[in-house]
Amino acid sequence: MTTRIVELRRGILKKNDELAAGLRGRFTSAGVLVLNLVSSPGTGKTAFLERTLRELRARGAQAAALVGDLETDNDARRLAASGAPVRQINTHGICHLDAEMIARHLEGWEEVSLAGLNYLFIENVGNLVCPSSYDLGERIRVALLSVTEGEDKPLKYPGLFNSADAAVITKIDIAGPCGFDRELALHNINEIRPGIRIFETSAKSGAGMDAWLDYLAEQARPA
Amino acid sequence: MTTRIVELRRGILKKNDELAAGLRGRFTSAGVLVLNLVSSPGTGKTAFLERTLRELRARGAQAAALVGDLETDNDARRLAASGAPVRQINTHGICHLDAEMIARHLEGWEEVSLAGLNYLFIENVGNLVCPSSYDLGERIRVALLSVTEGEDKPLKYPGLFNSADAAVITKIDIAGPCGFDRELALHNINEIRPGIRIFETSAKSGAGMDAWLDYLAEQARPA
């Protein structure tokens, strides 16, 4: 039975990779920078993304978001407060987004045309394991880690951190009460993914957001 | 293809359920209370369990732990500081424990005989989705949620909270700086699983641990 599962899994991932490659082509043609945000549940992806969307709008950029959750549209409602177009994807029990879900939710999204966007953010289902295997056609995969989690998360979930293009540390405003060991966290991220860009942020205080927004602008610039 | 996956998945879960039923029989015969601790990565399962093991020993109880992680034996080393026998299970990419892994790691665990134990704790892989489907033969499934996570986690992950026998809120010592809305969290847990026993704890300060330990003692008592 194990052999059949592995084969089936390979088949699913192969199909996903093909769909993702197609999406990546569409995103590149449209000139939209697509980012896939992955973290544990509770890391603060939604608060971080809401602030990012709000600040991008203040800078005159066009940004939209797709947000994945098993159930509820709480996150879409929270993100919509930024004023950006947002669409909820409910996976109903599936622990990650896949390329097919992205393609399906781009269809008929009347507020949004890819060609009119500078940025499309995809907030994945909160999970440090399964999303790592599913390419969504993004150009940048962002692994988020909060100061409330263990500093050894990169060592425990190397699949995610090793496949990420950028790392964001969230909630640095409560680093003190949490006893967060900053040096250890930075060391562990670099051990798994040497040289990765790391941003230290607080969606509450706004700390570190400028460096993050500058990075986005730099990445969105046509080569 | 979807039909084949669903069938295969049912087959896997059926096999797991059979193995779990066998384990449950062994645990019951041995008179050991087995608990399966499930939460997001970073909720503080390990700190909570380490304190639980330490306090149980101080009360004269015999407790041991199996701890699941994709990689590293960091958690086993942390838990071993309690003085209790601990065994690490590395799943190498699998996002949950299953009954077969439990059975395999009980074999040849020389320090531990089930008949000599009052409690066996199983710390699952940090994940709010996949562990919900896998019975490990436990008598009590515990869903943990920290004050640093969103209060809507029970609504977003109903599968876990609905299958839990007890809920533990962790890190209440930092509820203030985190802006934790206690009433909302309790309301949401009760909405998904009405009447569930809820413990509000801090592994750091020790708050709420006595109520939790009393509950364990009560559950371990022969009927």
Side-chain angles (χ1 to χ4, degrees), chain A residues 104 124 202:
Chain A
R104 187 153 36 92
N124 221 310
S202 164

Side-chain angles (χ1 to χ4, degrees), chain A residues 40-41 74-75 148 152 156 171, chain B residues 40-41 74-75 148 156 171:
Chain A
S40 172
N74 293 0
D75 285 1
T148 70
D152 62 354
K156 285 178 163 184
K171 308 190 190 182
Chain B
S40 173
N74 293 0
D75 285 1
T148 71
K156 286 179 163 183
K171 308 191 190 183

Side-chain angles (χ1 to χ4, degrees), chain A residues 1 4-5 7-8 11-12 15 40-43 46 69-72 74-75 78 93-95 123 125-130 146 148-150 152-153 155-158 171 173-174 176-179 204, chain B residues 1 4-5 7-8 11-12 15 40-43 46 69-72 74-75 78 93-95 123 125-130 146 148-150 152-153 155-158 171 173-174 176-179 204:
Chain A
M1 189 175 238
R4 275 176 61 205
I5 295 169
E7 276 169 17
L8 206 58
I12 293 166
K15 192 183 155 212
S40 172
T43 296
T46 310
D69 275 298
L70 273 72
E71 303 294 343
T72 83
N74 293 0
D75 285 1
R78 284 173 63 194
I94 310 284
C95 53
E123 183 183 332
V125 174
N127 184 326
L128 286 180
V129 188
C130 316
S146 90
T148 70
E149 301 170 45
D152 62 354
K153 287 288 173 291
L155 308 181
K156 285 178 163 184
Y157 300 91
K171 308 190 190 182
D173 56 294
I174 53 169
C178 291
K204 199 182 276 181
Chain B
M1 190 176 237
R4 275 176 60 205
I5 296 169
E7 278 171 15
L8 206 58
I12 294 166
K15 192 182 155 213
S40 173
T43 296
T46 309
D69 276 297
L70 273 73
E71 305 293 343
T72 82
N74 293 0
D75 285 1
R78 284 172 63 195
I94 310 284
C95 53
E123 182 183 334
V125 174
N127 185 327
L128 285 180
V129 187
C130 316
S146 90
T148 71
E149 301 170 46
D152 62 355
K153 287 290 172 292
L155 309 182
K156 286 179 163 183
Y157 300 91
K171 308 191 190 183
D173 56 295
I174 54 169
C178 291
K204 200 182 275 180

Side-chain angles (χ1 to χ4, degrees), chain A:
Chain A
M1 189 175 238
T2 310
T3 315
R4 275 176 61 205
I5 295 169
V6 171
E7 276 169 17
L8 206 58
R9 195 176 144 75
R10 276 203 202 114
I12 293 166
L13 287 176
K14 184 161 176 282
K15 192 183 155 212
N16 186 77
D17 283 349
E18 288 165 4
L19 279 170
L23 283 173
R24 188 171 288 107
R26 282 173 65 190
F27 297 150
T28 307
S29 305
V32 53
L33 179 65
V34 179
L35 300 99
N36 177 6
L37 274 55
V38 185
S39 81
S40 172
T43 296
K45 280 185 298 306
T46 310
F48 175 74
L49 180 52
E50 200 272 330
R51 181 145 193 158
T52 299
L53 292 171
R54 198 150 34 88
E55 299 212 3
L56 283 173
R57 280 173 63 90
R59 290 182 173 211
Q62 298 300 319
L66 291 170
V67 52
D69 275 298
L70 273 72
E71 303 294 343
T72 83
D73 63 350
N74 293 0
D75 285 1
R77 285 189 283 113
R78 284 173 63 194
L79 291 173
S82 67
V86 179
R87 201 164 200 194
Q88 181 80 48
I89 305 177
N90 278 144
T91 64
H92 303 299
I94 310 284
C95 53
H96 57 83
L97 295 176
D98 64 29
E100 191 276 328
M101 296 179 198
I102 302 302
R104 187 153 36 92
H105 285 81
L106 289 173
E107 297 302 318
W109 192 5
E110 289 172 11
E111 303 159 275
V112 167
S113 86
L114 287 180
L117 286 181
N118 304 109
Y119 304 95
L120 175 65
F121 294 88
I122 305 172
E123 183 183 332
N124 221 310
V125 174
N127 184 326
L128 286 180
V129 188
C130 316
S132 315
S133 305
Y134 287 83
D135 184 357
L136 305 181
E138 74 270 17
R139 204 172 85 209
I140 297 177
R141 183 175 290 187
V142 185
L144 296 93
L145 172 74
S146 90
V147 301
T148 70
E149 301 170 45
E151 294 85 355
D152 62 354
K153 287 288 173 291
L155 308 181
K156 285 178 163 184
Y157 300 91
L160 170 60
F161 284 85
N162 196 37
S163 70
D165 303 291
V168 172
I169 300 174
T170 59
K171 308 190 190 182
I172 61 166
D173 56 294
I174 53 169
C178 291
F180 179 64
D181 185 336
R182 175 177 177 268
E183 294 308 317
L184 182 59
L186 296 177
H187 172 86
N188 287 342
I189 296 171
N190 270 298
E191 186 162 318
I192 297 298
R193 183 70 157 164
I196 191 175
R197 283 289 297 270
I198 304 176
F199 300 91
E200 300 174 62
T201 67
S202 164
K204 199 182 276 181
S205 73
M209 293 302 294
D210 277 343
W212 164 246
L213 292 161
D214 291 346
Y215 167 78
L216 291 179
E218 179 192 305
Q219 295 295 318
R221 206 169 297 142

Side-chain angles (χ1 to χ4, degrees), chain B residues 87-166:
Chain B
R87 197 164 203 195
Q88 180 80 49
I89 304 178
N90 278 142
T91 64
H92 303 296
I94 310 284
C95 53
H96 57 84
L97 295 176
D98 63 29
E100 189 277 327
M101 296 179 199
I102 302 302
R104 186 153 35 92
H105 286 81
L106 288 173
E107 296 302 317
W109 191 6
E110 291 175 8
E111 302 159 275
V112 167
S113 86
L114 287 180
L117 285 182
N118 305 108
Y119 303 96
L120 173 64
F121 294 88
I122 304 173
E123 182 183 334
N124 220 310
V125 174
N127 185 327
L128 285 180
V129 187
C130 316
S132 315
S133 306
Y134 288 83
D135 184 357
L136 306 181
E138 74 268 18
R139 204 172 86 209
I140 297 176
R141 183 176 291 186
V142 185
L144 296 93
L145 173 73
S146 90
V147 299
T148 71
E149 301 170 46
E151 293 86 355
D152 62 355
K153 287 290 172 292
L155 309 182
K156 286 179 163 183
Y157 300 91
L160 169 60
F161 284 86
N162 197 37
S163 70
D165 303 291

